[in-house]
Amino acid sequence: MIANTQRPRPRLWLSLIPTAITIMGAMGSGPLWAKSLDTAPAKPSLAVCPEEGAVITDADSTISACTHVIEARPVEPKVQARAYVARSRAQASLDKKDEALKDAEAAVALDPTDVAALIARGDARDNLGRHDEALADYDAALKIDPTNGDAYLTRGGTWYYYKHDPQKARRDYDAAVRYKPAFYDTYFQRARLEQDQGDYAAALKDLDAAEALSPPYPPALADQRGLLLEAMDRDDDALKIFGRSIESQDDSAVRLDRAALLHRRGDEKGAIADADTAIKLDPDQVQAYAVRARAYLALGNKDQASQDFDSAIRLAPDTASGRIIRGNLHSEQGQYDAAIKEFDAALALAPANAVAFYDRGLAYGHKDQHARAVEDFVKAAALDPSDPDAPFKAGYESNQAGRSDEALAFYEACLKLKPDYDTALYNRAFIYLDRKDWPNAAKAFDRALAQSSKDVDLHIGRGDVWLGQGDRVRARSEYEQAIRLDPKNTEAILDRAGMEAEDKAYGAAQADYRRALEIDPKNTHALSQSAEAYGAKGDQVHALERYQQALVLKPDDVELLIDRGLFYWRHDDNDAALADFNAALAHKPDSWAALYDRALVLDDQGHYDRAIRDLDAAQRLAPDDAEIVEERGEVYADLDDYLRAVRDYDYALTLNPRYALALKKRAEAKAKLGDKAGAEADIAAAAKLKATD
C-alpha cells in the first residue's frame, strides 16, 4: 500500500528553470528566468545607446549604437562602461551568452564600483550556469549600494530558481519591494514565489500591485494570474482570465497554458485548437507540441501524438534544459532508455544539475532499476537540499528494492524539510505496519492521520495496528470509521468481517462478505475469506462452493489454490490438497508458500525425503522464515533424527527468538536425546513467552 506520488510541483514547463512567464528587470534583458512585461512600442532614436534603466526594445539597434559609443572611446570610463552594460544586456536578449559576459566583464574592468555593471555580469554568469559567481556579483553590488532594488531582485531570482532556497529568495524580494516599491517586476516575482509556496492570498495581492504599476495589462501578468487561479482550483476563473488576455492580445504562452488547462479538464479538442494557435504564433514553442501530443493521445490518435512528440523533441534546444525536456518527452511515451540517454547528455553538459538527476531517477524507477534510481535521487537531494521530493522518491525506490531501513531514513529526511508531506507520512506508517513494529506504527499512523484525517487507507492501517497490539475494540472502531468515510470500500468491510469471523460471529462476518460481493462480485479475496469462515464454522459444503466460485474467476490464482489446498489438508483430504499445491507450483514454481504447504501434506503421508526437499527449496526462496526451518525440524523428528531436528529448531530460534513452538518442539527432541535439563529449560522458556505474549 506504499504510494509512489509526491506533492504536485508547480507547472514549470521546462521542469528545470521557470521559463514560462516571468519578468525582467528595468535595465533590459535579465537572466534566463526573466521575461519582460513591457509591451510598449519601440522608442525613437534607436541609434542612441540606452541610458541606465532604459528598457531595451531593439537589441540589434542597441548593439550597433553602443558599439559606436565604445569605439569612440569616451573620456569618461563610466560612460564607456555603461555602453558595455547596455550592449551586454542586448547580447543576452539575443541569447549570445558568451558575448554578454565579455561585455559585462569589460564594464566591470572599466569601473569596478559600477553597480549596474556588476548586476549585468551577474546576469550573464547566471545565464551560463555560473550561479555562485553570479551571487558574488550581486553581493558586491549590494555592498556598494545596499538599497539597490535591482540587485535584490536579480539575486532573489538566483536564490529561488537556481539555488532553490525560497527563504533567501523571499528576503531579497521583500527588500526589492522595499527599496523599489513603484516597480511592478518586484511584486510579480514575489507573487510567483508565493504561489509556488502555496500562499495564494499573498500572491493575488502582489499580482494586483504589479497590475496597478505595470504598462497596459500585458499577457505575462494575465497568464500568471490565470496560473494562480488554476492552482487555487478556480479553473473557470482561470479560463476567463486566459480568454480576456487572448482577446486583448493573442499570445503563444497564454494559449499554451489555456491548452494545458483544457487538456487537464478533458476538453481535448479545445486543447488542440489552442495548441495549434500557440504553434502558429511561435513555431518553436516546444511545449505546445507536447500538450497537443497529450491531447491527441487522449483522443486515441497515437500517430498524430507521436508526430507531435517527435516535433517537440526535435525543437528542444541542445542545452542541458533542452535535453531534460527531450528526456521527459521520451518518458511520457514509455521510452525510458531513450530518456536516460537524454538525461545523460544533460548531465554531461551540466554535471551539477539536480533536475537531470531527479528525472533520470524517475526513468530508472520505471525500469524497476531501483538501486540506480536511489543513487540519482540521492545526488539530486545533495544538489538541491531544500527540495523534499528527492528524498521522498529515494525512500520509495529504496522500499521497492527491499531496503526498508533506508526508506525510513529517506522519509525522515523528507519530513524534516516538509513536516506535512502527506505521502511520506503515509508510506512511513505502512512500512512500520509491514514490519509489525506496532509502537512505531502506532505513532506513524497517528501523525499521518493528524495530517489526513479522512484518508480511508490510513484508518484501515491504524485498525490493523490496533489489532496487532491486541486492542480489538479500537481496531473495529477504525475499520468502521473507514466504512463511514467510504461505504463502498471493500477492504475495510473485509477487515471487519475478518475480525467477526475470528470472534466466531459467523453470521455478521458472512453478512459483510455478502456486502463486499454486492459491491464487487468478482472480489476473489472476499470469496476466499467467506470460504474460510464457512470452514471454521464446520460448513464444508458452502466453503468449497466459495472456493470454487473464486477459482472460476481466477483459475490460475496461486494464492487461491494454496488456500483451498490448506482447507483440504485441515479436513484430512490429503490427495485433494496435494493436487491444489501441485497446481499452484505448476503456475509458480518459485512459490515458497506452496512448497512449504506441500511439505505438510508429504510429511503426513510419510514421504519424509520429499517433504525435506520441498522445505529445503522453500528455505532457499525465503531464507529468513523461521516457520520453514521449524517445520523441517519436525520432519527430521518424524524420522527419529533428533540431532538434525535440534539443529533446525536452534536455527529457527535464531531467526525468531520468541518462537514458542520451536522451543516446545526442541524440548521434545532434547528429551528424546536424553538432555533432560535442556528440555526443562526450553519448556520453562516457552511458558514464559506464553505468559508475556
Side-chain angles (χ1 to χ4, degrees):
M1 200 177 281
I2 301 299
N4 183 25
T5 56
Q6 68 263 9
R7 62 184 176 81
R9 289 173 175 266
R11 194 172 77 211
L12 303 180
W13 287 115
L14 301 192
S15 81
L16 172 65
I17 51 175
T19 55
I21 297 292
T22 49
I23 324 169
M24 70 176 178
M27 291 182 289
S29 176
L32 285 179
W33 50 263
K35 180 176 178 179
S36 179
L37 273 181
D38 273 292
T39 56
K43 295 183 179 181
S45 303
L46 292 180
V48 176
C49 187
E51 296 291 332
E52 178 184 1
V55 174
I56 294 172
T57 55
D58 187 323
D60 290 326
S61 296
T62 296
I63 291 170
S64 176
C66 293
T67 300
H68 178 75
V69 172
I70 292 165
E71 290 176 349
R73 299 182 180 277
V75 175
E76 289 292 328
K78 186 175 288 292
V79 175
Q80 191 173 16
R82 290 299 168 82
Y84 273 118
V85 168
R87 192 170 73 177
S88 171
R89 294 196 176 281
Q91 302 277 25
S93 72
L94 296 174
D95 205 29
K96 296 180 178 180
K97 300 173 186 177
D98 292 326
E99 292 89 340
L101 178 59
K102 185 178 179 181
D103 277 348
E105 286 177 335
V108 174
L110 283 166
D111 188 355
T113 65
D114 190 315
V115 170
L118 288 165
I119 295 173
R121 189 172 69 177
D123 290 347
R125 286 172 165 172
D126 254 341
N127 287 345
L128 289 166
R130 293 158 60 176
H131 307 306
D132 289 330
E133 294 174 73
L135 287 171
D137 277 336
Y138 302 140
D139 290 345
L142 287 166
K143 189 173 182 180
I144 296 167
D145 181 5
T147 65
N148 190 287
D150 291 321
Y152 282 114
L153 180 62
T154 49
R155 189 175 70 175
T158 304
W159 280 125
Y160 191 48
Y161 297 117
Y162 296 120
K163 306 300 283 187
H164 308 291
D165 191 328
Q167 288 76 28
K168 289 182 179 178
R170 179 58 189 255
R171 286 198 294 269
D172 277 348
Y173 288 152
D174 288 346
V177 169
R178 184 165 59 251
Y179 293 120
K180 206 167 183 179
F183 187 37
Y184 48 83
D185 286 33
T186 57
Y187 296 98
F188 185 94
Q189 293 296 342
R190 191 169 69 178
R192 292 203 65 196
L193 182 150
E194 290 161 340
Q195 175 180 335
D196 291 347
Q197 298 298 303
D199 190 352
Y200 299 141
L204 276 174
K205 184 177 179 181
D206 273 344
L207 285 179
D208 288 342
E211 181 182 347
L213 294 165
S214 72
Y217 202 55
L221 188 52
D223 196 55
Q224 191 62 41
R225 185 180 293 275
L227 291 172
L228 173 57
L229 292 169
E230 184 180 350
M232 298 170 69
D233 295 324
R234 293 169 55 184
D235 289 355
D236 291 338
D237 291 334
L239 288 171
K240 290 176 184 177
I241 292 292
F242 291 143
R244 284 202 296 268
S245 177
I246 289 168
E247 288 176 7
S248 173
Q249 180 181 339
D250 213 345
D251 179 86
S252 175
V254 181
R255 285 278 188 177
L256 169 60
D257 283 330
R258 189 170 72 172
L261 175 53
L262 291 171
H263 166 61
R264 183 171 63 77
R265 287 165 61 98
D267 183 356
E268 310 302 350
K269 292 182 179 179
I272 290 169
D274 268 345
D276 287 343
T277 304
I279 291 167
K280 289 176 184 176
L281 292 168
D282 180 2
D284 295 330
Q285 177 65 276
V286 175
Q287 297 300 340
Y289 286 100
V291 171
R292 192 170 69 179
R294 296 178 194 118
Y296 277 125
L297 204 58
L299 291 174
N301 190 338
K302 295 182 179 179
D303 291 338
Q304 186 60 56
S306 179
Q307 290 179 29
D308 275 347
F309 276 127
D310 288 343
S311 295
I313 291 168
R314 175 176 49 80
L315 288 168
D318 192 16
T319 60
S321 59
R323 290 285 188 171
I324 290 172
I325 295 170
R326 296 181 193 182
N328 285 322
L329 291 169
H330 280 302
S331 285
E332 283 192 52
Q333 301 175 82
Q335 300 165 355
Y336 300 117
D337 289 329
I340 288 168
K341 287 181 181 178
E342 294 292 352
F343 297 135
D344 288 344
L347 288 164
L349 293 167
N353 191 299
V355 175
F357 279 116
Y358 183 92
D359 289 348
R360 190 174 69 178
L362 294 177
Y364 278 127
H366 283 297
K367 286 170 61 67
D368 293 328
Q369 295 184 16
H370 306 300
R372 296 289 298 273
V374 171
E375 290 176 11
D376 276 351
F377 291 131
V378 168
K379 290 174 183 175
L383 290 165
D384 184 3
S386 66
D387 182 9
D389 290 338
F392 170 83
K393 294 298 292 185
Y396 175 80
E397 294 296 338
S398 293
N399 196 58
Q400 293 297 104
R403 289 148 42 184
S404 60
D405 286 337
E406 292 180 26
L408 287 170
F410 285 126
Y411 288 138
E412 291 296 338
C414 169
L415 291 166
K416 282 183 180 178
L417 294 169
K418 186 174 176 57
D420 61 349
Y421 202 126
D422 52 3
T423 320
L425 291 167
Y426 178 103
N427 286 0
R428 181 170 160 270
F430 278 99
I431 288 176
Y432 283 124
L433 174 60
D434 289 342
R435 296 167 78 161
K436 298 184 179 179
D437 182 348
W438 307 125
N440 281 317
K443 293 175 185 175
F445 274 103
D446 288 345
R447 182 176 172 186
L449 281 164
Q451 176 68 26
S452 307
S453 62
K454 295 185 179 181
D455 189 296
V456 173
D457 289 337
L458 287 175
H459 282 288
I460 294 171
R462 188 63 178 97
D464 293 344
V465 175
W466 282 123
L467 197 59
Q469 292 179 311
D471 192 332
R472 301 176 70 80
V473 173
R474 288 184 174 176
R476 184 185 181 96
S477 175
E478 289 290 351
Y479 297 146
E480 291 181 346
Q481 174 63 8
I483 294 168
R484 281 193 292 273
L485 289 168
D486 182 3
K488 294 188 176 182
N489 188 290
T490 56
E491 184 179 356
I493 295 169
L494 292 178
D495 281 347
R496 184 175 67 180
M499 282 189 62
E500 291 162 341
E502 288 175 6
D503 293 336
K504 298 184 180 181
Y506 298 117
Q510 294 297 350
D512 269 343
Y513 293 134
R514 287 192 293 273
R515 177 177 175 180
L517 288 166
E518 286 172 3
I519 295 167
D520 179 8
K522 295 183 179 181
N523 190 319
T524 56
H525 186 48
L527 289 166
S528 177
Q529 280 191 237
S530 175
E532 289 182 23
Y534 277 125
K537 187 182 178 183
D539 187 344
Q540 296 184 39
V541 174
H542 282 101
L544 288 172
E545 282 181 1
R546 286 299 201 197
Y547 280 127
Q548 185 60 29
Q549 289 170 1
L551 283 164
V552 166
L553 292 168
K554 292 184 178 180
D556 300 336
D557 189 295
V558 171
E559 290 186 12
L560 283 174
L561 288 166
I562 290 173
D563 286 345
R564 190 174 68 175
L566 285 171
F567 176 84
Y568 281 129
W569 174 70
R570 292 189 189 106
H571 290 83
D572 300 320
D573 191 345
N574 284 334
D575 290 338
L578 195 61
D580 274 347
F581 296 141
N582 286 337
L585 287 164
H587 293 302
K588 189 178 181 183
D590 61 349
S591 170
W592 65 264
L595 287 163
Y596 173 88
D597 292 335
R598 187 169 70 176
L600 298 177
V601 178
L602 293 170
D603 185 25
D604 283 353
Q605 292 178 329
H607 301 305
Y608 302 124
D609 290 341
R610 290 172 60 190
I612 288 170
R613 283 199 299 272
D614 273 357
L615 291 167
D616 286 343
Q619 189 195 9
R620 285 192 293 272
L621 293 164
D624 297 328
D625 191 289
E627 290 186 28
I628 295 171
V629 183
E630 187 279 330
E631 176 60 28
R632 189 172 60 190
E634 290 194 40
V635 178
Y636 279 124
D638 290 339
L639 285 166
D640 296 331
D641 189 345
Y642 298 111
L643 286 173
R644 287 186 175 178
V646 169
R647 180 201 64 186
D648 273 344
Y649 298 141
D650 288 344
Y651 187 37
L653 287 162
T654 299
L655 293 170
N656 180 7
R658 300 184 62 81
Y659 197 172
L661 179 61
L663 283 166
K664 179 183 175 183
K665 291 295 182 180
R666 187 171 70 176
E668 294 174 1
K670 285 180 177 179
K672 292 287 186 180
L673 292 168
D675 182 3
K676 183 178 179 181
E680 290 176 350
D682 279 348
I683 291 171
K688 186 177 179 181
L689 278 178
K690 186 177 180 181
T692 57
D693 283 347

